Amino acid sequence: MDSLDDLIRNAGAAVYCLYASSENAAMRHMTRFVTHDPVTILKRPDNPPLMIVPLMEADRAQRESPAEILTRQQAGYLEIFEYEKDPWKIQAEMIRRLSEGPYLVPPDFPTALTRALEPYNTVIVDSSSGLSAHRAIKTPEEIGWITNAQRAAEAAMDRAVSMIRHADVKSGMLWYEDAPLTSDLVRYEMNKIMLAYDCTAQDTIVACGLETAMPHCTGSGVLKAHEPIVIDVFPCDNKTGYHADMTRTVSRGEPSGKVTELYETVRDALLMSENMVQEGASGAACYQAVRDFFAELGYQSDTEGFIHSLGHGVGLEIHEQPSLSGTGGDLRAGHVITLEPGLYYRDTGGVRIENLGVVEKTGFSRITNYPLEMVL
């Protein structure tokens, strides 16, 4: 699909309908408007998006959004309210007055609004999530916003690594400034750094020891010396809504030989995958090549080992198209993706390393600017 207009036409629709707040990535992408209350957006081919907003939001929307703005009053809300009190039927009638359909809607479109629209015309569900594919290719401006979020992630990572590097070791535990160094304390300090960049992050991972065998365990308790510590941070820029994503695995002091082997193998897989990425490369083929690389070294992937995808797209959502998994399609120039191979074993722990970058015609342009260093 080359454009949103193509998606609408190919579906046999007259208009793409959204009803969502800016927490919805498609709404944020189409309007660049921030609102915590849902609004109606209509996109007709060869026209800018049309957004229907409450009167109190109209001036701000005119200033902040490239969409054409109508107030609910201008869309006929008060007139319709005189004879119809069901809020979903009011929304449907406003939409009908502006476009008679057929209506193309996303999979998460409200069922009640779908039912209210159906008496007017056919409602077609974008079941393949074509709108997500449309926003997967990033503009230079979007890449800049993602890069800004990545710099916040790196600054937060640097704070975490510095705390671990300078911690004292007492009875195998890490102490920092005369107190036990815990996962929660490291997260707190990372969050402070990201706030200074006007970014926030949820569920930041600071996991240690056997916790690292669970890829999304956020971590708890006192960090230990000579054990793997997985730090995974994925901040969102509060102004733009765009994310970044990065992971490093470190150890305060030499870990076991098994963990060191895991680290070196995962690092080599990361560098190999970076060399495979370019426009036209298959996400599935990149993923399979890493699986094969691990298998050749004796790291089979079943219930342990390499138990997640190689990577994913990043943008207004932390996980979006494209996918570098067994079902991943071809990569295109402008995709912003992570590469994050990992190996996980319940009796040893896990290692994951993740870089973020842009798919280009001839390769992978890394956005992440942070060293690959395990032993601190």
Side-chain angles (χ1 to χ4, degrees), residues 16-46:
Y16 202 112
C17 300
L18 291 174
Y19 182 77
S21 73
S22 54
E23 294 180 3
N24 179 285
M27 181 274 183
R28 185 77 178 266
H29 185 261
M30 196 178 295
T31 68
R32 303 299 181 196
F33 187 61
V34 178
T35 175
H36 298 291
D37 296 318
V39 295
T40 300
I41 302 101
L42 307 177
K43 177 63 176 76
R44 296 165 292 190
D46 304 317

Side-chain angles (χ1 to χ4, degrees), residues 159-170 172-182 185-186 222-225 229 251-253 376:
R159 177 60 174 153
V161 168
S162 177
M163 293 174 75
I164 295 167
R165 187 192 305 275
H166 294 102
D168 296 320
V169 179
K170 299 181 181 181
M173 301 296 183
L174 300 189
W175 283 63
Y176 186 79
E177 295 183 349
D178 298 322
L181 182 59
T182 65
L185 178 58
V186 173
V222 181
L223 302 179
K224 301 174 184 177
I229 302 173
S251 175
R252 178 68 165 84
L376 305 177

Side-chain angles (χ1 to χ4, degrees), residues 205 207-216 226-232 246-251 255-270 290 294 299 304-310 339-354 372-375:
I205 293 170
C208 181
L210 296 184
E211 289 183 332
T212 60
M214 298 176 282
H216 285 165
H226 311 294
E227 295 280 358
I229 302 173
V230 171
I231 308 170
D232 187 348
M246 74 176 297
T247 307
R248 290 294 184 267
T249 301
V250 298
S251 175
S256 70
K258 179 64 173 177
V259 171
T260 299
E261 290 176 8
L262 290 179
Y263 186 89
E264 292 173 351
T265 303
V266 170
R267 179 198 60 204
D268 291 347
L270 173 65
V290 170
F294 286 145
Y299 298 102
E304 296 184 294
F306 184 36
I307 54 176
H308 54 64
S309 70
L310 174 61
L339 297 170
E340 52 175 331
L343 289 170
Y344 310 89
Y345 295 94
R346 295 180 186 91
D347 61 351
T348 304
V351 169
R352 181 169 66 257
I353 314 172
E354 179 180 30
L372 298 174
E373 178 186 19
M374 180 180 65
V375 179

